[in-house]
Amino acid sequence: MYYNSINGDLEKIFFENKDLFDYSDYPKDSPYYDDTNKKVVGKFKCETKGAPILEFVGLRPKMYSLEYKESCDPASAIKEKHRIKGITRAASRALTHAEYKAQLDFPTENYLKNKRLGSKLHQIYAMEVLKITIYF
């Protein structure tokens, strides 16, 4: 399922409810910059620091990917950011935004090697676990 914003200016709509958001990471010359809720627990914060989000894919809770511009300049580079709960960031770097989009059309089980330190009976071990990363 794909969504598009209706009027294209979601920041303006969010800024009207600025008591719910932390705008302290926005550039200081931005009209949306406001540091009244800086570092306040429970306030929503923009992950791209005011840069425009081009595309968002949310597959499950705490499993998402987004493409965004590096800055508001039209010639700026496009960056990717993705998160998966329970997978280390080093292991999740192997995934791309295109794989998240492909998962919407053709859901399959994908396994990712997740290396971590763990203990059994007070002995520390280096563990390599195959985890299912993207499925429905």
Side-chain angles (χ1 to χ4, degrees):
M1 189 177 300
Y2 297 95
Y3 292 100
N4 289 322
S5 64
I6 296 169
N7 64 2
D9 197 3
L10 291 175
E11 287 179 342
K12 182 179 178 184
I13 296 168
F14 291 156
F15 197 69
E16 291 170 359
N17 298 307
K18 67 180 182 177
D19 58 316
L20 302 174
F21 296 92
D22 177 3
Y23 290 104
S24 62
D25 282 343
Y26 276 58
K28 293 198 179 197
D29 60 343
S30 171
Y32 300 111
Y33 176 78
D34 186 13
D35 64 351
T36 55
N37 288 331
K38 184 175 185 175
K39 306 287 184 192
V40 176
V41 177
K43 302 296 181 186
F44 293 101
K45 180 176 278 199
C46 182
E47 291 191 30
T48 61
K49 298 181 172 115
I53 296 174
L54 302 174
E55 192 168 50
F56 174 84
V57 177
L59 297 175
R60 305 181 78 204
K62 299 185 181 180
M63 182 185 290
Y64 63 90
S65 175
L66 52 97
E67 276 187 344
Y68 64 97
K69 290 273 195 178
E70 195 169 16
S71 67
C72 293
D73 180 26
S76 65
I78 295 175
K79 295 182 115 182
E80 291 183 2
K81 185 174 190 176
H82 40 269
R83 298 283 181 255
I84 302 178
K85 180 183 177 185
I87 304 291
T88 60
R89 290 195 185 185
S92 70
R93 286 188 191 120
L95 297 173
T96 63
H97 183 75
E99 291 174 323
Y100 279 80
K101 283 175 59 175
Q103 199 64 24
L104 286 175
D105 299 326
F106 307 105
T108 58
E109 288 185 358
N110 295 317
Y111 294 92
L112 191 64
K113 286 183 185 178
N114 194 29
K115 295 180 182 179
R116 65 181 185 89
L117 293 176
S119 66
K120 288 185 180 178
L121 299 173
H122 302 289
Q123 294 292 321
I124 297 176
Y125 297 96
M127 299 180 175
E128 186 174 285
V129 180
L130 280 177
K131 286 197 168 193
I132 297 176
T133 57
I134 302 175
Y135 65 96
F136 286 98

